[in-house]
Amino acid sequence: MSQKYYLLRNREVADIDRMDVYLAHGGYQALKTALTDYKPEELVDLVKKSGLRGRGGAGFPTGMKWGFLPNDGRKRYLVVNSDEAEPGTYKDREIIEKNPHQLVEGIIISSYATKAREAYIYCRGEFLFGAEQLQRAVSEAYAEGFLGENILGSGFSVDLKVYRGAGAYICGEESALLESLEGRRGNPRLKPPFPAIAGLYGGPTVVNNVETITNVPAIVTYGAEWYTSMGTAKSPGVKIFSVSGRVSRPDNYEIPLATPLRSLIDDYAGGVLPGHKIKAVIPGGSSVPLLLPDKLDTPLDYESVLQAGSMLGSGGCIVLDDSVCMVGATARLVKFYREESCGKCTPCREGTYWMTDVLDRIERGQGTEEDLDTLMDIADNIGGKCFCPLGDASLGVLVSAMKFFRDEFEAHVREHACPMGAKLYDTVNH
Amino acid sequence: MKPEWNQWAREFKEQYPGANSALMPLLHRIQAEEGWLSDETIHDVATLFDLPESYVESVASFYSLFFRNQVGKKVVHVCVGLSCALAGSDRLMENLEHRLGIKEGQTTADGEYTLLEAECLAACNQAPVAQVNLRYFEGLDPERADVLLESSKSPEEEVKP
């Protein structure tokens, strides 16, 4: 399908990661517009009017987040969360590796709007190339006078640094990210206070996701009305969906919010693999509940997906078909949370470990009827009882799989084996 | 302690309002040279930051990309996330284990390779994927594990924070 790109714009242009090419394609024009035509407060209003919501997963209104910064004269920070590690999600990585200047431009505009004097990109440790791309883009932006003192004669100054994480999914949680950036273990902080009041080095701080910030230059260029002309009243604009799993054309697709899930899978991602049927879809990254095929007409906006029983989350859409063992898939995802639990609180640290043990046992055909109840009991002792959202995130797929596919779990126990051969990899089709 | 470590520590500290923010950049920098972070390194870094060794250890041990044990010259991370698993990452891992004669988590006797699982590497459209010294190898054929070993003959570029 033909597509108009805003967030992934110029993805087909060779060397768009270079300053000269980016400039030749209209790059940094939005920055000039922002510095010339807007006061910071007017930019905050513009983003509020656009209705842009955080694209890291939580969907919190960006303009409102910016508006929470207290006017108390303390030095402000903007921190960009590039710790993308949610299974099924790979949109931010495309932006930072292929078009890093678009992010850098968004950061400078957003720093101006929030009056941040210092900005950081916290880049996932595994993204070595991404960090190199960002570092190069930042250096080029300094050389052009887009960063540093008195940017383009506006009187506005901001410094931007690229900071490398070192392998920890939890650092995508904003308070854990700030802990890490301050040189500590990535353990989440107790909230409140929220980062707007006491964030990086105790100062007022905005933490935004890469895709969120990438929206900002487009909103400056095309206006809030353009943005709200897409999507719904509560979920306006465009979003990148990362499609993977059992589809013909897995890729990043940028589409207006409220596009039906079926259209994303069939029209964009080429549909489920030939000869197979969709069994379930994880629509918003590994942390959200499954949707069954009867929900394929759900519009992909925050409210509709919630109403359908899941969450839009990060937009990482994993398609599972009839070749996939739900016990095996669930075990794989829960193991991820076991690996990534920071260990600070007991229900998450012990619970994800225990659930992984039980799920592996069931998948191997060594589970008992009692194990199924144990799983739900552990889940019950994690849900709503953890220090940060990671514990709850480990339950999204598990609890919905137990609800929708309990017969599969029971068949594993009854037959003392995985009826699908305990292989997630369907050899017939590869 | 290598003489240049002191210089690096000073340079990193100058970049951040809080001195401890320079800790991870320095650990990255040292590991890029040394390959891993030994007990002695932890001790030296603690000295450079005037911090207890336990503090530096608490940070180094938290993050999966800081190696507290000696690793091979090439660290192979095979993504075992769900999308990669659906595309054969378990088989890819088995083939690598067979080819290298080691199990996941181990290092070959000649010190060339360490084989590790990686959690989702954010390349699910190219599943299955792996990294060799953090460089991506995408759209792999699970039956052709050798691609990962052959393509990384040249010494890996320096990892700079």
Side-chain angles (χ1 to χ4, degrees):
Chain A
M1 273 183 91
S2 70
Q3 273 183 278
K4 178 87 180 125
Y5 291 117
Y6 296 96
L7 309 176
L8 299 174
R9 69 171 193 250
N10 298 323
R11 75 193 299 205
E12 74 292 348
V13 176
D15 298 328
I16 192 67
D17 55 336
R18 279 171 32 194
M19 177 62 91
D20 54 339
V21 179
Y22 186 70
L23 286 174
H25 284 80
Y28 290 99
Q29 284 302 320
L31 173 64
K32 285 169 191 164
T33 304
L35 294 177
T36 314
D37 298 350
Y38 290 89
K39 289 180 184 141
E41 295 78 9
E42 292 168 346
L43 278 173
V44 176
D45 279 344
L46 177 75
V47 172
K48 276 184 186 166
K49 283 203 191 93
S50 77
L52 172 64
R53 295 169 64 167
R55 302 293 192 228
F60 194 82
T62 306
M64 198 187 287
K65 201 178 207 179
W66 291 2
F68 285 155
L69 291 167
N71 272 314
D72 54 9
R74 287 184 294 157
K75 180 178 169 185
R76 292 174 171 185
Y77 297 95
L78 176 72
V79 177
V80 177
N81 185 342
S82 175
D83 199 47
E84 180 175 62
E86 170 99 359
T89 313
Y90 51 90
K91 60 192 179 67
D92 298 340
R93 183 176 155 237
E94 172 169 349
I95 294 169
I96 64 172
E97 286 190 357
K98 296 202 174 147
N99 197 349
H101 278 295
Q102 191 170 354
L103 176 64
V104 171
E105 183 176 7
I107 294 171
I108 304 166
I109 298 170
S110 303
S111 300
Y112 174 65
T114 57
K115 299 181 185 173
R117 180 63 184 82
E118 214 166 299
Y120 291 88
I121 305 169
Y122 185 95
C123 189
R124 183 180 174 188
E126 287 84 347
F127 291 173
L128 178 59
F129 179 58
E132 289 168 348
Q133 287 289 81
L134 287 168
Q135 189 55 60
R136 197 160 59 92
V138 167
S139 301
E140 287 181 332
Y142 269 105
E144 288 288 329
F146 299 148
L147 279 168
E149 297 289 327
N150 191 19
I151 295 166
L152 300 173
S154 65
F156 171 67
S157 306
V158 67
D159 286 303
L160 174 59
K161 296 191 184 86
V162 179
Y163 197 89
R164 279 189 70 209
Y169 165 75
I170 189 59
C171 292
E173 194 279 334
E174 62 179 8
S175 68
L177 186 158
L178 296 174
E179 283 290 291
S180 180
L181 194 42
E182 290 183 21
R184 285 190 283 270
R185 297 166 71 85
N187 289 331
R189 294 173 180 173
L190 188 65
K191 292 191 248 186
F194 289 93
I197 309 298
L200 187 62
Y201 308 120
T205 304
V206 167
V207 185
N208 282 145
N209 163 264
V210 166
E211 184 189 355
T212 310
I213 293 289
T214 303
N215 275 271
V216 174
I219 291 170
V220 169
T221 302
Y222 301 105
E225 278 175 25
W226 158 76
Y227 206 72
T228 56
S229 72
M230 297 174 287
T232 66
K234 287 184 174 170
S235 300
V238 291
K239 161 122 192 66
I240 305 170
F241 289 87
S242 308
V243 188
S244 69
R246 304 281 297 165
V247 293
S248 294
R249 291 196 300 270
D251 202 353
N252 280 322
Y253 295 100
E254 177 185 329
I255 53 177
L257 284 163
T259 303
L261 175 57
R262 188 189 301 279
S263 175
L264 174 66
I265 295 171
D266 287 350
D267 301 335
Y268 291 91
V272 69
L273 289 175
H276 289 275
K277 284 189 195 138
I278 293 179
K279 188 171 185 177
V281 177
I282 304 169
S286 60
S287 304
V288 309
L290 299 163
L291 289 179
L292 295 184
D294 65 339
K295 303 286 188 192
L296 282 173
D297 291 309
T298 304
L300 291 169
D301 59 78
Y302 294 97
E303 288 70 29
S304 301
V305 179
L306 196 61
Q307 201 173 6
S310 187
M311 287 183 281
L312 193 69
S314 63
C317 177
I318 308 176
V319 177
L320 307 176
D321 68 9
D322 50 11
S323 73
V324 177
C325 167
M326 290 311 299
V327 178
T330 304
R332 183 62 55 122
L333 289 178
V334 173
K335 174 177 166 281
F336 167 77
Y337 293 95
R338 179 192 74 179
E339 294 297 314
E340 298 299 337
S341 172
C342 80
K344 177 179 175 126
C345 76
T346 311
C348 174
R349 183 189 64 241
E350 302 300 323
T352 53
Y353 203 93
W354 194 2
M355 289 192 299
T356 305
D357 265 5
V358 174
L359 283 163
D360 282 347
R361 189 156 72 220
I362 297 171
E363 176 68 352
R364 286 196 309 267
Q366 296 167 332
T368 63
E369 200 61 44
E370 202 185 4
D371 279 337
L372 306 187
D373 296 331
T374 303
L375 273 180
M376 293 316 286
D377 187 42
I378 304 168
D380 197 41
N381 280 289
I382 291 176
K385 296 184 177 71
C386 293
F387 192 83
C388 87
L390 192 141
D392 281 298
S394 74
L395 305 177
V397 169
L398 171 73
V399 172
S400 58
M402 290 283 286
K403 182 172 149 198
F404 298 140
F405 299 100
R406 188 161 176 118
D407 54 333
E408 267 191 49
F409 286 79
E410 286 169 349
H412 279 70
V413 171
R414 198 171 51 243
E415 296 174 25
H416 301 293
C418 171
M420 307 187 82
K423 291 273 182 216
L424 280 170
Y425 180 36
D426 175 10
T427 51
V428 178
N429 288 284
H430 281 88
Chain B
M1 191 186 308
K2 301 275 169 68
E4 60 272 26
W5 292 7
N6 199 355
Q7 175 66 21
W8 293 345
R10 217 168 33 242
E11 284 169 10
F12 286 131
K13 282 182 199 175
E14 279 167 10
Q15 289 182 32
Y16 303 101
N20 289 356
S21 291
L23 182 56
M24 285 193 12
L26 183 66
L27 292 175
H28 273 305
R29 188 78 180 85
I30 292 173
Q31 184 169 284
E33 299 295 325
E34 305 293 316
W36 65 299
L37 305 172
S38 67
D39 288 347
E40 203 183 337
T41 300
I42 297 293
H43 169 84
D44 293 341
V45 171
T47 309
L48 287 170
F49 278 79
D50 199 18
L51 286 167
E53 274 179 51
S54 59
Y55 182 97
V56 179
E57 172 65 15
S58 82
V59 172
S61 62
F62 185 84
Y63 299 93
S64 61
L65 295 181
F66 289 137
F67 303 127
R68 286 289 283 111
N69 292 300
Q70 199 153 7
V71 292
K73 284 182 200 145
K74 288 150 199 160
V75 177
V76 182
H77 276 106
V78 178
C79 179
V80 295
L82 179 57
S83 298
C84 279
L86 294 174
S89 62
D90 293 356
R91 186 176 294 252
L92 176 64
M93 180 66 93
E94 280 169 23
N95 285 332
L96 280 167
E97 287 179 337
H98 179 74
R99 172 72 173 69
L100 294 172
I102 53 173
K103 290 287 177 194
E104 188 274 327
Q106 297 179 339
T107 300
T108 53
D110 61 4
E112 281 296 308
Y113 290 98
T114 296
L115 185 58
L116 298 172
E117 284 185 350
E119 296 305 330
C120 182
L121 288 171
C124 318
N125 54 334
Q126 299 291 336
V129 301
Q131 288 184 331
V132 179
N133 289 352
L134 301 185
R135 301 292 169 184
Y136 278 92
F137 289 79
E138 301 185 321
L140 295 165
D141 179 343
E143 310 301 345
R144 296 191 57 222
D146 277 3
V147 170
L148 284 172
L149 311 179
E150 289 158 6
S151 309
S152 54
K153 280 175 195 155
S154 60
E156 188 53 40
E157 300 96 304
E158 213 171 58
V159 184
K160 287 209 177 83

